[in-house]
Amino acid sequence: MAPSLPRGFEWGFATAAYQIEGGFDQEGRGPSIWDTFTHLEPSRTKGANGDIACDHFHRYEEDLDLLKKYGANAYRFSISWSRIIPLGGRDDPINEKGIAFYNKLIDGLLDRGITPWVTLYHWDLPQALHDRYGGWLNVHESQKDFERYARICYERFGDRVKNWITFNEPWIMAIFGYATGGNAPGRSSTSDQATEGDSTTEPWIVGHAQILSHARAVVAYNKDFRPHQKGKIGISLNGDFYEPWDSQDPRDAEAAERRMQFHIGWFANPIFLKKDYPECMRAQLGQRLPAFTEADFKLLNEADTDFYGMNYYTSQFARHRDEPPSDTDYVGNVDELHSNKQGQSVGEESGIHWLRSCPGMFRKHLTRIYRLYGKPIYITENGCPCPGEEKMTREQSVNDAYRQRYFQDHLDAVGKSITEDGSVISGYFAWSLMDNLEWSDGYGPRFGVTFTDYKTLARTPKQSALLLNNFITSRQ
């Protein structure tokens, strides 16, 4: 018998503003760090940018109709900070045309019976704030500006939006933006392409700024908006599940746990447990890891976060290293591998090098996170590109058997974690509604349940788009 999902289980699809909207300089929107990053020469995004992207800014009605057609009861999207406040700051002007766009989007969802889930920050910091004071590198200033931005969103949209996510994947923002330099703003002291940055310190400062900014946004919501708006607020954290490369070696078991602490505990310990950073991080990073002040802990204790948003794609094996870590190590001094000591693969390969299908480990991951942090879990991203899909025609891509199997297997894992392990899992958002700009990978990988023709921008549903409705409703 297939594992069941709870009645009232929320499900739908997820997107991010910069990846789909386009309209980058229209109706008052200001530039973000991703606008700047995608226009660097030589290109660091395979020549791609989000100037037009999927043109969702003009085609949103068509995209909302797709959600309705697919049977989704919820939709997770992000707001472009620089479309709301073009210069980003707490004393800078609000762009009413940007407000109007998201009002139309929210109302369009509600008219179709679809619940809006809003992410406040999906990596697109207003460029003006980066220029003004270093953006997330300035812990003090960035908190204040993010809180004001969040308050504007609560004020203007909170009468209809009851589900808020403060940050999407702060780990990615901190590490890829400020350690490896592969993402905006592209700061790194280890990348030949970067001209600025310090990979030994900056990612940890940025992570600290995002944690405290999250806390301020949560406290603001709980104090001034929750009593009458009656919504909920959380954060979406990414993180793979790790098992020991050698199951008989306790050093590899320790390495697997340490890797997950560097990936997830970094953010989840302060936010959900109201504790300092994991001890293994303190031990390795020392003074490079910022300290929480007494006032910071007071803020964290007041920031009652309702749910754990989980972005999950794959799992890996962790092998310990005997040599000491470098000052630029950010994984906890481990090797990350797709096969274990016996040569067994962690899972079936997908259409992108880092992603394997590992539903059994997904179940373990869900159960571990629920038992550690004790909050209801919403899976805010989960998905994959099919093997070879990057080179497929529309007709080939639409017949996405691998993706259908991936969704089924991972939703089965969700059901088992609920029914057999006792986890509280309340929703699932497939990534993504449509093929889109996959950040530094450009328009190559296709994660969408809708095929996007990037020449005509025509949308074509893939078979997986309609499978999810049947699969989920049959298990409730």
Side-chain angles (χ1 to χ4, degrees):
M1 182 177 174
S4 62
L5 297 169
R7 289 200 173 274
F9 189 77
E10 291 199 64
W11 76 274
F13 304 92
T15 62
Y18 190 72
Q19 292 180 269
I20 66 167
E21 276 186 7
F24 78 109
D25 60 353
Q26 295 184 22
E27 297 193 358
R29 181 186 178 275
S32 76
I33 55 174
W34 271 95
D35 291 292
T36 302
F37 189 70
T38 58
H39 287 91
L40 291 175
E41 294 292 346
S43 175
R44 291 161 71 173
T45 56
K46 297 180 170 59
N49 62 59
D51 293 2
I52 300 173
C54 301
D55 199 29
H56 176 73
F57 184 68
H58 298 107
R59 296 169 179 250
Y60 69 92
E61 292 277 11
E62 177 184 351
D63 296 333
L64 299 187
D65 286 342
L66 284 174
L67 287 165
K68 181 72 174 177
K69 178 177 181 178
Y70 298 164
N73 62 32
Y75 174 51
R76 178 191 172 215
F77 63 96
S78 77
I79 290 176
S80 168
W81 184 344
S82 62
R83 202 180 288 285
I84 301 296
I85 313 172
L87 297 176
R90 54 195 176 275
D91 297 319
D92 293 322
I94 297 171
N95 177 30
E96 293 296 339
K97 290 182 178 179
I99 298 281
F101 169 71
Y102 291 110
N103 274 329
K104 290 185 291 186
L105 185 62
I106 292 163
D107 290 343
L109 286 165
L110 294 172
D111 288 345
R112 292 167 174 82
I114 300 168
T115 301
W117 280 68
V118 171
T119 304
L120 292 171
Y121 186 79
H122 201 127
W123 307 353
D124 49 354
L125 183 77
Q127 181 64 40
L129 297 186
H130 185 78
D131 296 339
R132 188 176 295 170
Y133 55 70
W136 298 116
L137 291 169
N138 189 318
V139 176
H140 181 71
E141 294 295 329
S142 59
Q143 285 183 65
K144 293 181 179 180
D145 285 339
F146 184 74
E147 180 187 347
R148 179 59 183 132
Y149 161 59
R151 283 180 174 274
I152 290 170
C153 291
Y154 304 153
E155 289 164 3
R156 298 303 191 91
F157 310 128
D159 58 329
R160 290 151 293 152
V161 173
K162 307 302 178 184
N163 307 281
W164 297 98
I165 295 167
T166 55
F167 285 84
N168 179 78
E169 299 183 347
W171 188 95
I172 296 286
M173 181 73 203
I175 296 300
F176 289 176
Y178 296 82
T180 69
N183 280 6
R187 294 177 64 87
S188 174
S189 55
T190 62
S191 169
D192 292 339
Q193 291 181 298
T195 57
E196 297 177 311
D198 183 350
S199 302
T200 69
T201 59
E202 289 189 1
W204 316 115
I205 295 168
V206 168
H208 201 70
Q210 292 179 97
I211 289 167
L212 294 175
S213 295
H214 161 83
R216 285 182 74 122
V218 170
V219 169
Y221 186 76
N222 290 346
K223 179 183 176 183
D224 296 332
F225 299 92
R226 184 192 295 270
H228 58 280
Q229 292 184 355
K230 303 187 185 310
K232 56 181 180 284
I233 190 165
I235 188 170
S236 289
L237 302 180
N238 66 299
D240 299 353
F241 184 78
Y242 290 82
E243 289 196 335
W245 177 76
D246 181 350
S247 61
Q248 304 303 308
D249 191 334
R251 295 172 299 177
D252 286 353
E254 290 173 7
E257 177 61 26
R258 188 166 65 251
R259 180 67 190 96
M260 289 187 282
Q261 291 294 340
F262 266 73
H263 219 157
I264 296 165
W266 177 11
F267 298 96
N269 277 21
I271 289 170
F272 294 105
L273 301 182
K274 319 299 186 184
K275 291 169 57 177
D276 190 23
Y277 294 119
E279 290 181 8
C280 60
M281 294 184 70
R282 281 271 172 229
Q284 178 174 320
L285 300 170
Q287 295 301 310
R288 291 184 285 124
L289 193 60
F292 289 108
T293 66
E294 191 174 316
D296 292 338
F297 276 120
K298 183 176 184 294
L299 179 69
L300 289 168
N301 277 301
E302 291 174 354
D304 187 14
T305 304
D306 296 300
F307 62 87
Y308 184 110
M310 176 186 287
N311 289 3
Y312 171 88
Y313 291 91
T314 195
S315 297
Q316 301 186 62
F317 294 109
R319 181 175 62 194
H320 76 282
R321 293 176 181 165
D322 291 321
E323 66 278 5
S326 71
D327 283 348
T328 56
D329 175 79
Y330 54 83
V331 297
N333 202 33
V334 307
D335 292 322
E336 301 174 291
L337 302 160
H338 292 306
S339 298
N340 64 12
K341 187 178 181 181
Q342 286 72 43
Q344 298 167 321
S345 174
V346 74
E348 186 182 1
E349 292 185 32
S350 72
I352 197 164
H353 65 92
W354 52 265
L355 197 161
R356 305 287 190 277
S357 180
C358 318
M361 290 191 185
F362 181 38
R363 173 185 171 182
K364 293 179 183 179
H365 186 53
L366 286 161
T367 303
R368 174 183 182 273
I369 291 297
Y370 181 70
R371 290 176 178 173
L372 270 177
Y373 303 114
K375 293 289 185 179
I377 295 171
Y378 286 88
I379 299 150
T380 44
E381 287 183 26
N382 181 237
C384 63
C386 299
E389 191 172 12
E390 196 167 333
K391 299 177 181 177
M392 287 182 185
T393 64
R394 180 185 63 181
E395 290 72 24
Q396 292 170 324
S397 182
V398 162
N399 297 312
D400 56 349
Y402 179 94
R403 182 176 292 106
Q404 295 173 62
R405 190 165 66 251
Y406 180 97
F407 283 150
Q408 288 179 316
D409 291 346
H410 283 72
L411 281 163
D412 276 341
V414 172
K416 289 176 182 175
S417 184
I418 294 169
T419 58
E420 298 179 31
D421 304 340
S423 303
V424 176
I425 305 169
S426 303
Y428 177 93
F429 293 85
W431 185 268
S432 174
L433 175 61
M434 67 191 87
D435 298 331
N436 56 48
L437 174 65
E438 282 298 331
W439 306 108
S440 56
D441 282 326
Y443 290 102
R446 291 182 176 271
F447 278 80
V449 299
T450 308
F451 180 89
T452 304
D453 183 324
Y454 294 120
K455 292 181 179 177
T456 66
L457 297 177
R459 282 88 151 122
T460 305
K462 301 178 188 179
Q463 291 180 357
S464 60
L466 299 171
L467 169 137
L468 281 171
N469 187 16
N470 296 331
F471 189 83
I472 289 173
T473 54
S474 68
R475 282 159 175 72
Q476 292 181 300

